[in-house]
Amino acid sequence: MIIEQIYTGCLAQGAYYIESNGEVAIIDPLREVQDYIDSAAKNNAKIKYIFETHFHADFVSGHVTLAEKTGADIVFGPTAETNFNAIIAEDNQVFKVGDITITVLHTPGHTMESTCYLLKDENGKDHALFSGDTLFLGDVGRPDLAQKGDITEKDLAGFLFDSLRTKVMTLADEVIVYPAHGAGSACGKNLSKETVGTIGNQKETNYALRANMTKEEFVKEVTDGLLPPPAYFPLNVKLNKEGYKSIDEVIKNSEKPLSVKDFEIIANETGAVILDVRHQTEFVKGFIPQSIFIGIDGGFAPWVGALIKDIKQPILLVAPEGREEDTITRLSRVGFDNVLGYLEGSFDAWQKAGKEIDTLTSVSVQVLEDKIKENAVVFDARKPGEYASEHIVGVKNTPLDFLNDHISEFPEKGDFYVYCGGGYRSVIAASILKARGIHNVIDVAGGYAAIRNSNIERSAAVCPSTLK
């Protein structure tokens, strides 16, 4: 038996390759599926089933493409409805994969169709639980994403409490837990950085599995402090329920080199967003006016989804040379398939053509320290939880996720400063502000990591895990 976790850091997502005696099951595959096909071929094995734990909101799964390419059956849990052929399994239905079995455990709560899959080994012993978004390490899935009709987030939280108590916590302590997400995912509040655990460990450390917890306490704790979900979430759910173009077609349509002249014409004629994905240190030195910066080497895809929002938005890319296909692939993971092309020769070609450029002022923490003594206006672009745990005394929290809700708060005159955790999100924020005509923004290089090593007055540190 082979169990391989394929963890994609930029999505904080875990897909799984399971093989036994020449047969393979894939759980929650990414949209680009060739690696799974290659792994099976290398082992002379056949992909038999594609199990989906639920309709994912934060990425476009590869189930449809993988089924088309391999003939494998797609399996969803009870109550799922799809526009493509799939097995809608019954609770406790058993699927045989080589010498092992995978049992469907319907665990509504995160969504109504949410399902865990229990793997029993060759001897019929419970071995591992693929817990989807029902159980994370350190947390559980948020219950507010699939509210419909009269079903509220509190109703879903109640279902989740029952699912955990009757289907998950009854498993033996040594059963391995393989969740769908880790730290950084917006599908939970405070996920662990670990990506593999056990039922026993979670019973000891996960607040949501506390033995003496009442349903009322559970509902209150899992619904308390939830931030609004990213705008692209329902659009990804729709794709995962109804189907989508293959990623091969997306790359073929999108990977088009454009000369400076053509790039400029298309930008003017289509209203496309110019998305610059180079490193932030390159971006601040020069970029095409009104570009939005979201660097490919940060939390790229989720930030695109959170800030551009409409997955049909036309996009023109300014990418590091050689990384165009990688960028298009990552965009497609969250459903952004409408890339019109990329600037051939990247930003250097634009600059050499003598076209207008813009720059972003970025200062060191030492400069910020001096400016604060002169009553500089400073904004913290981190998430509310990061701000609550520690921040510069006297600054306002304007989370990047909700920047558009704070536009009127930025001063029209006089410089102001923006910092984040490490200098990535603040450049994104500054690029958006400049695209909106707010040019008196100054980035703080290094962010709070650098601020911690300065003499700037900070609030007392509070452990994030104790915050609600």
Side-chain angles (χ1 to χ4, degrees), residues 366-443:
Q366 288 70 35
V367 172
L368 178 68
E369 189 172 334
D370 292 338
K371 294 296 181 182
I372 285 177
K373 292 173 185 173
E374 301 169 7
N375 298 318
V377 178
V378 185
F379 293 87
D380 184 326
R382 297 175 300 162
K383 293 181 181 295
E386 295 174 277
Y387 175 84
S389 67
E390 194 177 342
H391 57 266
I392 295 177
V393 171
V395 305
K396 298 189 69 171
N397 184 212
T398 53
L400 175 60
D401 312 56
F402 312 108
L403 189 72
N404 287 327
D405 298 333
H406 295 277
I407 294 295
S408 63
E409 298 171 19
F410 294 101
E412 296 180 1
K413 295 181 180 178
D415 291 341
F416 64 89
Y417 299 79
V418 177
Y419 71 84
C420 62
Y424 175 78
R425 286 173 286 177
S426 58
V427 176
I428 297 176
S431 74
I432 293 172
L433 292 173
K434 286 180 75 69
R436 286 172 162 263
I438 301 172
H439 293 284
N440 48 330
V441 56
I442 295 177
D443 166 64

Side-chain angles (χ1 to χ4, degrees), residues 93-398:
Q93 187 169 341
V94 177
F95 293 84
K96 189 168 176 55
V97 179
D99 297 328
I100 64 173
T101 61
I102 293 176
T103 302
V104 173
L105 300 181
H106 187 210
T107 51
H110 173 60
T111 63
M112 288 307 291
E113 81 285 356
S114 276
T115 295
C116 296
Y117 295 103
L118 178 62
L119 187 154
K120 293 176 184 278
D121 67 15
E122 297 86 345
N123 300 313
K125 183 181 178 183
D126 293 352
H127 179 80
L129 183 74
F130 300 90
S131 59
D133 286 18
T134 296
L135 175 65
F136 298 129
L137 304 185
D139 205 345
V140 292
R142 56 190 298 170
D144 62 321
L145 300 180
Q147 301 173 68
K148 282 185 179 177
D150 295 332
I151 298 178
T152 68
E153 66 178 30
K154 286 185 168 52
D155 294 331
L156 286 163
F159 296 146
L160 185 56
F161 177 86
D162 293 337
S163 294
L164 291 165
R165 263 66 188 171
T166 61
K167 300 286 183 67
V168 174
M169 294 175 68
T170 52
L171 298 172
D173 285 354
E174 63 268 24
V175 171
I176 300 167
V177 176
Y178 290 112
H181 293 294
S185 167
C187 294
K189 290 190 294 186
N190 192 25
L191 283 67
S192 168
K193 291 180 181 176
E194 304 299 323
T195 61
V196 180
T198 64
I199 292 290
N201 175 264
Q202 287 308 294
K203 285 179 181 176
E204 291 178 2
T205 61
N206 190 325
Y207 76 95
L209 303 193
R210 201 169 66 235
N212 61 353
M213 196 177 208
T214 66
K215 182 183 282 192
E216 290 71 24
E217 289 172 333
F218 177 88
V219 170
K220 184 176 186 309
E221 291 196 31
V222 299
T223 58
D224 191 27
L226 285 173
L227 296 172
Y232 77 103
F233 270 27
L235 303 174
N236 275 204
V237 170
K238 182 176 171 66
L239 290 174
N240 284 322
K241 291 178 77 168
E242 298 180 357
Y244 46 80
K245 290 187 287 190
S246 81
I247 194 164
D248 298 337
E249 186 180 352
V250 173
I251 291 173
K252 181 181 176 184
N253 292 339
S254 303
E255 197 175 11
K256 297 175 181 173
L258 299 171
S259 66
V260 170
K261 181 181 177 182
D262 290 342
F263 189 92
E264 189 173 31
I265 290 172
I266 293 173
N268 290 332
E269 291 182 348
T270 64
V273 166
I274 299 175
L275 181 62
D276 193 323
V277 307
R278 296 173 296 150
H279 193 275
Q280 59 265 31
T281 56
E282 295 179 78
F283 181 83
V284 299
K285 294 175 186 172
F287 54 90
I288 299 173
Q290 296 189 310
S291 299
I292 300 299
F293 163 78
I294 304 178
I296 187 70
D297 290 324
F300 176 67
W303 280 121
V304 169
L307 297 170
I308 296 181
K309 299 182 180 179
D310 181 2
I311 61 174
K312 295 181 180 177
Q313 167 66 48
I315 293 172
L316 285 166
L317 288 178
V318 180
E321 288 190 89
R323 299 198 63 185
E324 297 87 0
E325 181 176 332
D326 182 24
T327 306
I328 293 165
T329 299
R330 294 192 191 200
L331 286 169
S332 72
R333 286 177 182 165
V334 286
F336 287 80
D337 293 348
N338 198 12
V339 173
L340 304 180
Y342 64 88
L343 180 60
E344 189 171 26
S346 194
F347 180 70
D348 286 347
W350 184 270
Q351 201 165 20
K352 286 175 183 173
K355 297 293 183 181
E356 181 184 359
I357 69 166
D358 199 353
T359 59
L360 171 64
T361 302
S362 183
V363 300
S364 67
V365 167
Q366 288 70 35
V367 172
L368 178 68
E369 189 172 334
D370 292 338
K371 294 296 181 182
I372 285 177
K373 292 173 185 173
E374 301 169 7
N375 298 318
V377 178
V378 185
F379 293 87
D380 184 326
R382 297 175 300 162
K383 293 181 181 295
E386 295 174 277
Y387 175 84
S389 67
E390 194 177 342
H391 57 266
I392 295 177
V393 171
V395 305
K396 298 189 69 171
N397 184 212
T398 53

